[in-house]
Amino acid sequence: MVYDVLDVSPEQGPGRLLFTARKAHYTLPYLVLSALEREGCSMSAAARGELARARRRARHYEEVLTRVTAQVPVQVIKGPLLARTYPEGLLRPQGDLDLVTEGEPDLWNAVRLLTKDNPPQYAGVSVLGTPTRHVVVTLTWQPEDPLLDPELRVEIATAALVGDQGAVPIRSAMPADTLTANLLALAEERFQRPFHARDAIDVHMLGKIEPPNLDGLVSAAAEYHLAPELRELLDYTAQRVPVGHLSALGPALEAAEREERARRATRPVSPDPATSVHAALDAGVPLYGMPLGPVTGRTDWDRVRVHHFGDGTLLLTPVGDYLLVTGETVAQEQYDAALQEVRLLAEETP
């Protein structure tokens, strides 16, 4: 299956397979190494070490999930749920852990739980949506081997799926059925990037599970406005590996796909991107927070606060202060003004 999905001939051997996996996605080597180990392939000390670290990384995410769910109501997206569909011994590639809370109070409770005794290297905060404002917090920590491994990352959000910032709206929660939720979450990735080999492998594994109700999957895809993306994902996978019990889902989505594309075509043309933070907040487009520094003492805060000053806007959160920005580049004077405003606010706080 791995040779097929990566389009590598078995005659080229495991070295070429692993090389191709590294080019396809940074987590795919974990799956390939675990498959080689499962098949009894001879492995060097370096390969065994990489796989051992990857297994400890996966266990770390499972432990984080167990710890958070024991104290905060959260819903997990993909990651561990998909890993449980893989055969024993195969390591599902997982770059991060995605969690969804019903609202901001639970989000900040989860953030405090994860950072209390283990300060992150980075804590990023973004906001999006209107009239309901959603918050996304990204936490990263140093991996076991900082030279060879990707960072540990947990993302917590009040929105499960954020759409395309246009015709496809924010959807706050996922369906209760695990198979349906996994398929929709994988389809949603199409708004951020083209599908790649890991997506096909995930669908191949999900195809081993018999859907409880094909009509229910189609209805969910229509309700979540994802019929076109889900059908593209199924077609992409079927061209590479079998989709098993999901083989009938692609054709069943045909009518829902047509209706969704027609719905999107009737949507008003999106206006030009907002050039100011004020306009972006009003429009509900994503705004990213440039960290200005961590804070302490806001233990009673359970929501972000927006503070306008001059030409800028601060996002004051329970864990830190941020300058809201619409682009990747910020003028030095704007950054300096934001730091000065943070200092003034700190002086005013009793």
Side-chain angles (χ1 to χ4, degrees):
M1 181 272 293
V2 179
Y3 276 107
D4 287 344
V5 80
L6 290 173
D7 195 24
V8 176
S9 169
E11 287 74 26
Q12 294 179 286
R16 172 58 62 175
L17 183 66
L18 187 58
F19 176 78
T20 305
R22 293 193 191 282
K23 293 196 298 181
H25 192 268
Y26 71 95
T27 63
L28 269 178
Y30 307 154
L31 170 64
V32 173
L33 287 168
S34 68
L36 293 175
E37 180 188 61
R38 194 168 184 257
E39 294 297 312
C41 179
S42 176
M43 297 173 66
S44 67
R48 291 195 303 271
E50 182 176 1
L51 179 56
R53 292 195 310 275
R55 291 198 186 282
R56 289 193 290 271
R57 178 188 184 91
R59 286 198 297 271
H60 170 77
Y61 282 136
E62 284 283 3
E63 291 165 0
V64 168
L65 180 60
T66 300
R67 182 154 41 97
V68 174
T69 54
Q71 301 186 49
V72 182
V74 298
Q75 187 176 30
V76 64
I77 306 293
K78 298 180 302 179
L81 296 182
L82 285 165
R84 293 164 194 168
T85 68
Y86 279 56
E88 183 70 26
L90 281 188
L91 188 60
R92 191 261 173 183
Q94 184 176 347
D96 58 9
L97 180 64
D98 294 313
L99 304 174
V100 179
T101 65
E102 190 172 342
E104 267 200 72
D106 285 337
L107 178 143
W108 294 114
N109 285 337
V111 170
R112 289 187 179 102
L113 177 64
L114 290 173
T115 59
K116 180 180 178 182
D117 299 318
N118 187 20
Q121 282 187 314
Y122 171 77
V125 182
S126 303
V127 293
L128 70 159
T130 184
T132 300
R133 179 176 296 149
H134 288 279
V135 178
V136 181
V137 176
T138 302
L139 305 171
T140 65
W141 292 267
Q142 183 170 281
E144 183 177 340
D145 190 329
L147 290 178
L148 299 176
D149 302 333
E151 64 190 10
L152 294 165
R153 186 169 70 250
V154 177
E155 185 168 282
I156 313 167
T158 58
L161 304 173
V162 300
D164 65 353
Q165 310 306 319
V168 181
I170 293 171
R171 285 128 303 157
S172 298
M174 298 298 293
D177 178 66
T178 301
L179 175 61
T180 305
N182 278 328
L183 284 171
L184 294 182
L186 288 171
E188 176 86 1
E189 292 288 334
R190 188 62 183 87
F191 294 131
Q192 281 75 52
R193 56 167 175 79
F195 293 126
H196 55 59
R198 187 180 67 167
D199 304 313
I201 296 170
D202 284 337
V203 173
H204 172 74
M205 296 301 180
L206 290 172
K208 298 178 183 296
I209 304 169
E210 188 168 0
N213 187 320
L214 189 64
D215 290 340
L217 284 175
V218 173
S219 296
E223 179 186 352
Y224 279 72
H225 305 291
L226 284 170
E229 290 69 33
L230 181 53
R231 192 171 185 204
E232 180 184 344
L233 173 61
L234 291 165
D235 290 344
Y236 174 88
T237 302
Q239 292 169 12
R240 291 156 177 82
V241 286
V243 296
H245 291 295
L246 298 175
S247 59
L249 180 57
L253 286 166
E254 184 177 344
E257 179 186 11
R258 283 199 308 269
E259 292 172 6
E260 175 60 19
R261 291 194 184 281
R263 186 194 70 82
R264 294 180 190 181
T266 62
R267 300 284 295 182
V269 176
S270 298
D272 293 334
T275 56
S276 72
V277 171
H278 287 212
L281 281 172
D282 291 340
V285 300
L287 284 171
Y288 306 96
M290 173 177 281
L292 300 173
V295 297
T296 58
R298 296 177 181 171
T299 56
D300 59 333
W301 285 36
D302 62 5
R303 285 177 173 79
V304 300
R305 303 178 186 181
V306 174
H307 172 79
H308 299 293
F309 71 99
D311 295 330
T313 301
L314 297 179
L315 188 71
L316 310 177
T317 82
V319 297
D321 295 325
Y322 298 82
L323 173 65
L324 287 178
V325 297
T326 58
E328 296 179 359
T329 304
V330 175
Q332 183 66 49
E333 56 268 23
Q334 186 181 9
Y335 178 73
D336 292 339
L339 289 176
Q340 177 62 21
E341 187 68 14
V342 166
R343 286 191 288 269
L344 291 174
L345 289 174
E347 293 172 1
E348 295 172 2
T349 302

